[in-house]
Structure formats: C-alpha cells, structure tokens
C-alpha cells in the first residue's frame, strides 16, 4: 500500500528547484557536489512546506530528464535524503517526502506560532495584531446583551444575521455603492468567503488568475481546491498593477476567477489607483471572468494624508462581475472570525445554498459583537487604535531593518500590515531556515509566488515594534550572516526574549 497522499510532477519540482538561489560558499569552501546541492534543495522545499510531507517525488529518470542531470545524481540525492529522514521509499510504491522523527511538520501556510513558542521566537510569519482593547471586551459584552432573542432560535443563519447583513449593506451604501442586505453573505472569516467562492465558481482544474506575488494562504487554499493558478506579474518595482498583462492573461487564459488585493496589497503594500481599478473591472467583464476583490486591508490606511480611491466594486455596482470579500480579522482582530461577501443577489443565494454542505453558518455571538461595534461607533474607535499601532510598528521596523540590513531594499507602504523586502541577493528560503535557528520566524518570498518565484524576497509584517522590532532586525541580520557564510547545522539557541 502506498504511503504517499499527493504527488509532485517532474516539471513542477524542477521549476521550484531551479528558482532557488544556491547556498553561498564560505571563504575557501568548495562547491558542493551536484547530488548534495539537489538533496539540499529538496530538503529546503520540504522544510518550507512548499513540497508537502508524504508527497510522491518523480522517478529518478523523470527528474533527471527534467533537470538535465544524470540519473546517478538524482539517485545519490534521494539516497542522501533517505539517510537524513527526509525521504522514504518502497519497491513498487516509489519515494515520498518525510520529516525526521522529532521534527515539527512544516506549515504550508502562515499559521501563527503556538503561545508556548513565543518566549524564544519572534514571530514575523503571521500578519496579525493583538485585539484593540477595550473594544473587544465591550463588543463581547454588547453581544451578550443582544443574545437572548437569538438563543430561542435554532441559531443557524446560513446567510448571516439579518441585522449584520443590513449593517454591512448600509456601510457599503455610505461608501457610495448602493447595497441591499440580499447582496451580503456573512462568512467565517475572509478565508471562509474565499473557500465558498472557489468551490462555487472554480471547480477542480479551473484556472484562477492571481497577482504575482499574492497572499500565501489564499494561494494555498486555491491549490487545495484543485485550481490551476495563472500568475500575473505586477509592474516593475512591484508597486502597481500591469494592466497590459492582466488584459492579455484574461483574454488568452480565460480564467474562471481572478483574485486581487487592490487596497494595501498583501504582501507588497501597493495601492491600486482608480484608473487601474476601472481597467481591471473592464478587462474582467470583457473576458467573462469573475473578479474577486479582497478588501481585508482596506481600513488600514496608515498615512493620514492619503486619499483612498473608490472601492473596486464602485465600477460594478450590481455585483455581476466583482465579488468583494471583507473581514474583521485585519482591521479589528484575527480572533474575531467574521468575514463577508458582497455580490449580486443571485450569486449570494448560490453561495448560501452551497454552504449547507460546508459550515452551515457563522457563530451568532461573534456576528452580534461586530454588529454592536459597527452600530455604536466602537468599530471606528478600534480601527483608529489599530492604525496607530500598525503605524508605530511600521516605522520602528523600517528603521531597524535599515540600520541592521542597509543592503535590503523595500518601498514603505502607506497602509496595510506588510513590508515586502528584497534581500540583497540572499535566498529567502535559506533566510527563513536560518531564522528558525537564531530565533526569528520569517516567511520566504516563494510562499507568495507560484512555482518558486520571489526567492530573493521575504515578507515582514508590522506586528512588532519598539525593542522587539530592534531585536527582530538583529536576528534577521544574524540569519543573513549565516546564509552568507554558507554555515550549516545548528547554532546556539536564541536567548529568551519576551516583550
């Protein structure tokens, strides 16, 4: 019986391996043998979670042809991985990836660290801030006061609580996009919204056009749904959208869906202007593509002098081309798992009908909490606190990285929660690996791309500030020195650092 649960093809694995930057050799060090470099590359992909554990690898001959190396090189690399515990094999079943006993399973997304690990590890993987108190507590208290009438019902509201749907519709209307509650479905976070949309519109094998780079967890959700991702490169400098490329991809690939983050793009922080938004909608409409717009970062404008453009859905008010996804997780708190979709009423009805086979509905108490906050002005006060904290963290992190790593390049975004950093020619994957050893967790650039793109980048979120930002940058500099020296193996464990 085979022990593998998925498979990676030779062409895909070759692309991921060829995109990797080689480990720099230290002074006087020899270039590693070809088999060792290949084994190291596969091991890194497994540790990064970009090749899943229990994934069947290509046969030796197939991978040798894809990489244009000898079969002997691939055989030696596989044998080295087996001896290190990163590969298991069985005659007739092939070879599949593994992790050595005692090693944690690598995450394929950007899950937050467990609380017990935070004493010695600075987590720059998860772009989420602590709750903006006292507003979380007040929102929960307000929800409890409004709960009794709902407690006498079955508690299942597949489209969301009517009061919250009306509240969200009114907020869109106040932004200049007339909206009815029938155009709103409340979901369990933005991920729940995207999961529902993907299952309704993009079955297994369907194409989805995505920005390149894009949000890692959404990319992985789409992969798990069986979608074929079509990357659309952003313009030179990664600061805006290349509309010529978008028109070409939408015309030639005819994707069923396209996914964009127009407001403080994750990970680059870019902000699309009104003309780009209008052109994106026009291109999607012409191609018959449904444009999914992620607005989870919309309210995180950090520079007070910035004038926000109109929402993308303003150029498709009926919601026939644009589906808008919003969430309380970034603007308020990640633990408040409330998201929503704005779309045409018939699309919302289809999403709600399909939901019966998924999660049935979103927790009532959390919906009441968000509704209370939005109805009392508490939401605006909480978002104001969130912006202030993110702005302070951004400025502290930018200053610390510029001081410790002056050769790293980035554009300071005017909003959002992330800094997209070019790492001065170093491999982002190797920086992530070295960072784990010196006590800083950072996601590498390829997590935000397709098939190994963006090896020379890392993403840094605005989740730490003050002395913690200084220490995080110092640890990143230590990780960079490890990569530059080509050092292998472990280092001294990081000292405890509790903020």
């Amino acid at each position: 019986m085979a022990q593998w649960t998925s498979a990676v093809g030779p062409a895909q694995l070759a692309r991921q391996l060829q995109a990797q930057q080689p480990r720099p050799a230290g002074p006087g060090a020899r270039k590693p043998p070809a088999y060792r470099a290949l084994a190291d590359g596969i091991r890194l992909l497994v540790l990064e979670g970009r090749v899943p554990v229990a994934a069947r690898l290509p046969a030796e001959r197939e991978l040798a042809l894809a990489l244009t190396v000898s079969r002997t090189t691939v055989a030696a690399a596989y044998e080295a991985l087996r001896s290190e515990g990163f590969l298991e094999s069985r005659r007739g079943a092939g070879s599949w990836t593994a992790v050595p006993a005692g090693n944690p399973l690598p995450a394929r997304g950007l899950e937050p660290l467990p609380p017990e690990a935070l004493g010695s590890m600075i987590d720059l993987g998860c772009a989420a801030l602590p709750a903006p108190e006292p507003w979380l507590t007040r929102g929960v208290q307000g929800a409890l006061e409004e709960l009794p009438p709902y407690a006498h019902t079955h508690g299942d509201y597949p489209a969301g609580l009517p009061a919250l749907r009306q509240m969200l519709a009114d907020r869109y209307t106040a932004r200049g996009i007339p909206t009815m509650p029938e155009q709103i479905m409340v979901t369990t976070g933005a991920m729940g919204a995207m999961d529902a949309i993907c299952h309704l519109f993009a079955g297994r094998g369907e194409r989805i056009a995505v920005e390149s780079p894009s949000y890692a967890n959404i990319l992985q959700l789409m992969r798990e749904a069986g979608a074929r991702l079509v990357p659309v490169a952003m313009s030179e400098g990664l600061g805006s959208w290349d509309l010529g490329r978008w028109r070409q991809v939408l015309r030639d690939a005819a994707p069923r869906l396209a996914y964009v983050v127009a407001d403080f793009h994750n990970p680059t922080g870019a902000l699309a202007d009104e003309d780009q938004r209008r052109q994106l909608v026009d291109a999607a409409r012409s191609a018959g593509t449904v444009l999914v717009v992620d607005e989870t970062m919309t309210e995180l404008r950090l520079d007070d002098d910035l004038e926000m453009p109109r929402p993308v859905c303003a150029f498709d008010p009926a919601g026939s081309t644009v589906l808008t996804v919003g969430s309380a997780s970034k603007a308020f708190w990640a633990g408040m798992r409330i998201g929503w979709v704005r779309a045409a009423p018939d699309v919302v009805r289809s999403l709600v009908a399909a939901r019966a086979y998924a999660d049935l509905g979103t927790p009532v108490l959390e919906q009441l909490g968000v509704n209370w906050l939005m109805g009392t002005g508490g939401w605006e006060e909480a978002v104001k606190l969130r912006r202030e904290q993110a702005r302070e963290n951004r400025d502290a992190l930018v200053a610390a990285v510029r001081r410790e790593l002056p050769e790293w390049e980035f554009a300071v975004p005017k909003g959002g929660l992330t800094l997209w950093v070019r790492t001065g020619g170093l491999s982002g994957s190797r920086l992530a690996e070295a960072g784990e050893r010196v006590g800083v967790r950072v996601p590498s650039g390829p997590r935000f791309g397709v098939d190994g793109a963006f090896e020379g980048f890392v993403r840094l979120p605005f989740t730490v500030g003050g002395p913690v930002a200084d220490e995080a940058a110092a640890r990143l500099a230590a990780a960079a020195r490890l990569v530059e020296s080509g050092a292998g193996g472990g280092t001294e464990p990081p000292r405890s650092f509790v903020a």
Side-chain angles (χ1 to χ4, degrees):
M1 179 179 176
Q3 301 297 307
W4 47 273
T5 56
S6 62
V8 56
Q12 178 189 0
L13 184 57
R15 286 194 301 270
Q16 290 180 292
L17 289 165
Q18 289 165 349
Q20 289 180 337
Q21 297 173 13
R23 182 188 293 276
R30 293 182 178 180
K31 183 180 179 180
Y35 86 88
R36 184 65 263 173
L38 175 55
D40 183 49
I42 295 174
R43 179 182 61 84
L44 200 59
L45 290 173
V46 173
L47 289 173
E48 276 266 284
R50 290 186 283 126
V51 168
V53 175
R56 185 181 185 275
L57 294 186
E60 294 170 1
R61 188 185 303 278
E62 293 175 343
L63 186 57
L65 286 171
L67 291 171
T68 62
V69 300
S70 71
R71 182 177 176 181
T72 302
T73 296
V74 178
Y78 279 13
E79 181 57 37
L81 290 167
R82 276 190 289 269
S83 68
E84 296 164 3
F86 286 94
L87 197 68
E88 296 181 8
S89 304
R90 179 176 297 172
R91 186 178 298 277
S95 299
W96 56 92
T97 55
V99 293
N103 279 39
L105 287 175
R108 301 200 72 192
L110 301 178
E111 296 84 355
L113 280 174
E116 61 269 18
L118 295 177
S120 60
M121 183 73 71
I122 297 176
D123 185 9
L124 296 182
C126 184
L129 290 162
E133 289 287 27
W135 296 105
L136 173 61
T137 298
R138 292 181 184 178
V140 172
Q141 290 170 341
L144 287 172
E145 293 174 0
E146 296 179 3
L147 180 62
Y150 296 93
H152 294 292
T153 73
H154 49 61
D156 287 334
Y157 295 87
L161 292 184
L164 182 55
R165 296 176 74 195
Q166 182 69 62
M167 179 68 70
L168 293 168
D170 290 346
R171 290 175 69 87
Y172 277 106
T173 300
R175 293 169 67 189
I177 307 101
T179 302
M180 303 179 294
E182 291 80 7
Q183 291 178 263
I184 301 292
M185 181 177 85
V186 181
T187 61
T188 307
M191 293 293 287
M194 285 302 305
D195 184 63
I197 290 169
C198 287
H199 279 89
L200 180 63
F201 286 95
R204 186 164 294 276
E206 290 276 6
R207 295 184 181 93
I208 301 179
V210 296
E211 297 149 325
S212 184
S214 188
Y215 178 36
N217 284 344
I218 293 294
L219 294 181
Q220 191 56 38
L221 181 152
M222 293 173 177
R223 292 187 187 103
E224 298 289 346
R228 297 163 59 190
L229 302 185
V230 183
V232 186
M234 298 189 78
S235 64
E236 191 66 29
L238 304 176
S240 64
W241 284 255
D242 188 325
L243 274 303
R245 286 175 177 165
W246 271 101
R247 281 190 291 269
Q248 180 181 357
V249 168
L250 295 179
R251 181 181 64 247
D252 296 347
R256 186 71 181 91
L257 286 179
Y259 170 76
V260 298
V261 186
D263 295 323
F264 311 124
H265 176 258
N266 187 352
T268 69
L271 177 67
D273 61 32
E274 287 209 4
D275 186 55
Q276 290 172 329
R277 294 165 190 244
R278 180 184 294 104
Q279 290 190 55
L280 272 172
V281 174
D282 290 344
R285 184 182 292 115
S286 297
T289 297
V290 175
L291 183 63
V292 183
V293 179
D294 185 333
E295 282 195 341
T296 54
M297 296 284 187
T298 296
E299 298 196 65
L300 294 176
R301 173 178 54 85
L302 304 185
D303 289 357
D304 292 334
D305 60 349
L306 176 65
E307 183 175 347
M308 290 292 293
R310 285 181 291 169
V312 177
C313 59
F315 304 100
D316 179 51
S320 58
T321 296
V322 176
L323 308 186
T324 302
V325 172
S327 172
S329 296
K330 298 299 185 184
F332 187 77
W333 185 48
M336 187 70 82
R337 304 303 305 157
I338 298 296
W340 53 87
V341 178
R342 182 198 179 276
D346 62 316
V347 173
V348 168
R349 286 193 295 271
S350 297
L351 288 168
V352 171
R355 192 175 195 178
Y357 308 102
D359 64 352
L360 293 179
T362 301
V364 170
L365 190 63
E366 293 182 27
Q367 293 187 71
L368 289 172
V370 171
N371 189 62
W372 185 91
L373 287 163
M374 289 181 171
T376 61
W379 180 268
E380 284 70 25
E381 292 297 322
V383 170
K384 181 180 177 182
L385 289 176
R386 171 67 75 240
R387 287 173 178 158
E388 292 172 354
Q389 185 178 11
R391 184 187 305 115
E392 291 173 1
N393 288 354
R394 178 195 65 178
D395 296 346
L397 187 64
V398 164
V401 172
R402 282 177 171 165
R403 181 178 62 251
E404 297 286 345
L405 294 150
E407 67 278 13
W408 287 16
E409 302 173 32
F410 51 84
V412 181
K414 296 180 179 294
L417 287 173
T418 57
L419 192 68
W420 185 239
V421 181
R422 190 186 299 271
T423 55
L426 298 180
S427 162
S429 298
R430 300 190 191 283
L431 280 166
E433 181 187 27
E436 295 279 351
R437 303 206 301 271
V438 300
V440 59
R441 180 175 181 254
V442 58
S444 66
R447 286 183 178 271
F448 303 88
V450 177
D451 285 345
F454 306 108
E455 186 62 64
F457 290 82
V458 294
R459 190 196 74 171
L460 307 180
F462 309 144
T463 53
V464 296
V468 189
D470 294 337
E471 179 66 15
R475 293 187 187 186
L476 285 171
R481 289 191 293 271
L482 279 178
V483 174
E484 288 169 342
S485 70
T491 64
E492 292 184 6
R495 63 185 182 276
S496 178
F497 189 86
V498 181

